[in-house]
Every structure is written in structure tokens, then in C-alpha cells.
Amino acid sequence: MLDLAIIGGGPAGLTAGLYATRGGLKDVVMFEMGMPGGQITGSSEIENYPGQGEIKSGMDFMSNWPEQAMRFGLKHEMNQVSKVEKNGDTFKVFTVDNKEYEAKSVLLATGSVPRRAGFKGENEFFGRGISTCATCDGFFYKGKEVAVVGGGDTALEEAVYLAKLCSKVYLVHRRDTYRAAPSTIEHMKHTENIEEVTNVTVEEVFGDASGVTGLKVKSKETGEIRDLPTPGVFVFVGRDVLSDSLKQEDGSYICDTNEQGEVIVDLNMRTSVPGLYAAGDVRINAAKQVVCAAGDGATAGVNIIEYLG
Ligand code: FAD
Ligand code: NAP
């Protein structure tokens, strides 16, 4: 029987593991389906983690976190959790390869995944010219033109990053104001090879057997259609939380969530089910920042130790 099963090895899960094991819990397993580090490892740079003056890529920034978290006995199971079940006062945790674990407490720290925008050709060309990771795929478009779809922090930051590699970046947004931080907007506007294509809808991404050859946008004001001839299209239109592992056979969640599946927690990261906690981007009202996810993880770790007595 595990003391604690942590699902997710991003900033929230790693920090919870560090606090739980350093605070004395013995059998703590962190289930992470990929490499530990979380979604920030796909970011070109992070400059707002307090105390870190040096601007680093997300990958570099997270590189020391797993080793530190595991120094006090946290175990890493590289596996995807498919389901969490309540089992009296304890929990059963199932993985996709049909392994089963029993745990006295569970922390859901599964974060989120990129959302699809829903335009024609998006699914067909995903991975063949359409990407959601500029640091992973930007290099393929070195010296070429690319388009970035979206108007939030991610879209603008990654457009600036891509502008350093690519000859030109079309920043395609459905409105003419952005929801990114003012400093990020300023940075984007001062980047010469970014062309803002605003107030448009993406009609379709088109291509041939070799992949994407361009995207078609339509002006919301005039209805005018324009073809942008780009072999690469980066889509950053927000993210959906990953909380399906808390769903039961009938589709309902084992604890309270909102309509988007974000887990409802109190200030101690407790869900409506005793022993079940949630932290980081997967919880309601998350600020969606690394520092906040780490803070949630620490809060959860401390409170789980108290819960287990
Ligand atoms: P995540 O980081 O999403 O980690 C969740 C982990 O759980 C993942 O590793 C995933 O593989 C794993 N997982 C999910 N489901 C399962 C399962 N069923 N079984 C096993 N493992 C599972 N924040 C900032 O503060 N500053 C920035 O500059 C910044 N830039 C960003 C740039 C980009 C491109 C993106 C996408 C995000 C950025 N953010 C930034 C936001 C920040 O990355 C997130 O707020 C933070 O990573 C959330 O941490 P988390 O631990 O809650 O979730
Ligand atoms: P976001 O803030 O939700 O922005 C999504 C953008 O995509 C919005 O501009 C939205 O348009 C647009 N959009 C949504 N659906 C669309 C569709 N179907 N078609 C076309 N456009 C669509 O998402 P995000 O940029 O990924 O950021 C997620 C969270 O992480 C935010 O809280 C953000 O602050 C945080 N984050 C922080 C940093 C940082 O601190 N440096 C960096 C990255 C992310 P509208 O504006 O019209 O809604």
C-alpha cells in the first residue's frame, strides 16, 4: 500500500513529491507518462520564476527538479494512469498497461494539453506541418515562413522565438487585441519579421502529400480571403486540463469538478473526497504559472502528511 500516489511529474507533482518524502512519507510514487518536467519543457524560455535572474529554456530550467525531488525517496514510475477509484478509505490507481496500485492518498497533478483550434485540415496535417511546440519543431522551418495561430502568452512568446529562426512569422489572431502580458506584446510588436494578421478566422490549412503548404484566412471585417504560403503552422489556442482519470464508468467524476473538468479544491488542495488532492494547472482557478503549480504541490505535500497523521 502506497502512502501517496502522485499522478503527473510537472512542477506541481515534483514539488509535492519533494515535500511529501522530505516530510517523512515513505512509499510515494510519482506516475509520469513521459519525462518528468511537465509542459514548461516545451517552452522556449522562462523569465518569471522568482529568484531566477537568468533566462533559460523550459527544458534547462526543469533539468534539476527531478533529481532534487527524488533525493528523499520519491519513486518515479514511467507510466500513464488511466483511472483512480475510491476503495473504502483508500484508492486504487490503474495504469494503461493494466497494473494496479493501492494508495492511502492520491494527488492529481496532471496539468493540461494543447487544445485544437478546430479548423479544416488541422487533424489531417497535425504532425505534418502543424505543431503545438515551437522548441520541438521550429528548427524544421529555419529560414522559412511560418504562421502562429493564437493571441495569448504562449502564441506571442513562441512567435518571438520562431522569428529568430524563421524568415517571417505571420501571427494570426481572431481579434485585434491580445491576452498576453503587456511586456510580451511589446516584445512581439518590436520584432520586425512578425506580421500581425488580426481579426481573421482560419478557414483551412492546406497542403499535399509532403505536408502543409499554406493556410487560408478570412477577414472578419471585409470577408476578404488571403492565402499565407507557409509550410509550418503553430497552433497555440489554449489548453484543456487532463482529469479524465478521475472519471467513473458513467462519465461522472469521483470528486467535484467544474464544467471544464477542472478539479475543485480548497486552499489545502483537498478535493471533495477525503485523501484525494489536486494541484497545479488541473485545479480550478489555477494561475497557470510554474511558481503557482510548485506552490500548490508544496501545499498539497504538507497537507497530505497531516492527513495521513
Ligand atoms: P504540467 O506541467 O502540465 O505537468 C503535468 C504532467 O503530468 C505532465 O508531465 C504530463 O505528462 C503528466 N501527466 C498527465 N496526465 C498523466 C497521466 N494520466 N498519467 C501520468 N502522467 C500524466 N509558466 C510560467 O510560470 N512562466 C512561463 O514562462 C511559462 N511559459 C509557458 C510556455 C508554454 C509554451 C506553455 C505551454 C506553458 C507555459 N507556462 C509558463 C505555464 C506552465 O508551464 C504551467 O503552468 C505549469 O507547467 C503547470 O504545472 P503542472 O505541474 O500543474 O502541470
Ligand atoms: P490562452 O491564454 O487561453 O490564449 C488562447 C488564445 O487562443 C486566445 O488569444 C484565444 O483568443 C485564442 N483561441 C482560442 N480558441 C481559438 C480557436 N478555436 N481559434 C482561434 N483562436 C483561438 O492560452 P495560452 O496562451 O496557451 O496560455 C495558457 C495559460 O498559460 C495562460 O494563463 C497564460 O497566462 C499561461 N502562460 C503564461 C506564460 C508566462 O507566464 N510567460 C507563458 C505561456 C502561458 P481570444 O483572445 O479571442 O479568446
Side-chain angles (χ1 to χ4, degrees):
M1 171 83 70
L2 301 177
D3 284 330
L4 168 62
I6 297 172
I7 310 170
L14 285 165
T15 309
L18 170 66
Y19 273 71
T21 50
R22 191 166 178 273
L25 295 190
K26 291 279 172 267
D27 292 310
V28 184
V29 170
M30 180 186 77
F31 295 88
E32 166 55 60
M33 60 187 177
M35 292 303 290
Q39 58 181 273
I40 192 68
T41 57
S43 168
S44 51
E45 58 179 44
I46 170 163
E47 62 179 5
N48 57 2
Y49 196 87
Q52 294 282 324
E54 196 188 337
I55 299 173
K56 291 181 176 174
S57 71
M59 191 68 93
D60 283 350
F61 176 77
M62 290 307 293
S63 62
N64 293 329
W65 289 47
E67 192 202 330
Q68 183 195 16
M70 285 169 209
R71 200 175 293 158
F72 303 98
L74 174 69
K75 295 177 203 80
H76 171 207
E77 184 74 34
M78 195 171 187
N79 213 332
Q80 182 176 354
V81 169
S82 51
K83 200 170 180 209
V84 177
E85 265 178 15
K86 187 96 180 87
N87 183 37
D89 286 344
T90 60
F91 297 89
K92 280 187 177 173
V93 175
F94 300 90
T95 54
V96 285
D97 54 355
N98 295 322
K99 287 191 189 142
E100 190 182 318
Y101 298 79
E102 278 195 274
K104 294 178 195 163
S105 62
V106 171
L107 171 68
L108 191 79
T110 40
S112 59
V113 281
R115 189 177 294 152
R116 298 270 164 114
F119 49 75
K120 193 174 164 203
E122 188 178 25
N123 292 338
E124 185 188 346
F125 288 107
F126 201 88
R128 295 198 301 127
I130 298 184
S131 168
T132 54
C133 181
T135 45
C136 318
D137 299 327
F139 187 75
F140 297 126
Y141 305 101
K142 199 168 178 207
K144 298 180 182 163
E145 296 192 353
V146 294
V148 165
V149 179
D153 279 309
T154 306
L156 270 65
E157 284 181 5
E158 299 310 299
V160 170
Y161 169 77
L162 286 165
K164 291 177 199 150
L165 287 174
C166 304
S167 57
K168 177 167 184 169
V169 177
Y170 297 96
L171 178 60
V172 177
H173 182 35
R174 63 185 179 185
R175 294 188 297 128
D176 56 9
T177 53
Y178 300 102
R179 52 174 84 240
S183 63
T184 305
I185 297 172
E186 192 74 0
H187 199 166
M188 180 276 291
K189 287 199 178 279
H190 282 97
T191 306
E192 271 180 13
N193 59 337
I194 294 181
E195 180 184 332
E196 295 173 67
V197 183
T198 55
N199 249 331
V200 294
T201 50
V202 177
E203 293 293 289
E204 86 173 278
V205 165
F206 52 85
D208 54 28
S210 65
V212 169
T213 53
L215 83 164
K216 201 179 280 301
V217 297
K218 184 179 181 182
S219 164
K220 284 179 161 179
E221 286 157 339
T222 63
E224 185 197 338
I225 300 277
R226 182 176 170 196
D227 282 352
L228 307 175
T230 68
V233 177
F234 290 84
V235 181
F236 302 114
V237 295
R239 302 180 65 91
D240 292 318
V241 296
L242 284 171
S243 56
D244 275 3
S245 54
L246 299 184
K247 275 187 181 166
Q248 307 175 93
E249 301 302 323
D250 65 1
S252 66
Y253 291 88
I254 62 170
C255 64
D256 293 344
T257 66
N258 67 9
E259 276 181 7
Q260 288 77 47
E262 294 166 344
V263 181
I264 296 175
V265 291
D266 66 12
L267 290 175
N268 293 329
M269 305 301 138
R270 283 186 297 218
T271 71
S272 55
V273 171
L276 178 62
Y277 293 71
D281 280 14
V282 75
R283 71 155 168 102
I284 46 150
N285 300 328
K288 302 204 165 95
Q289 295 290 299
V290 173
V291 66
C292 303
D296 278 7
T299 303
V302 166
N303 282 284
I304 291 167
I305 292 171
E306 201 176 312
Y307 169 77
L308 293 175

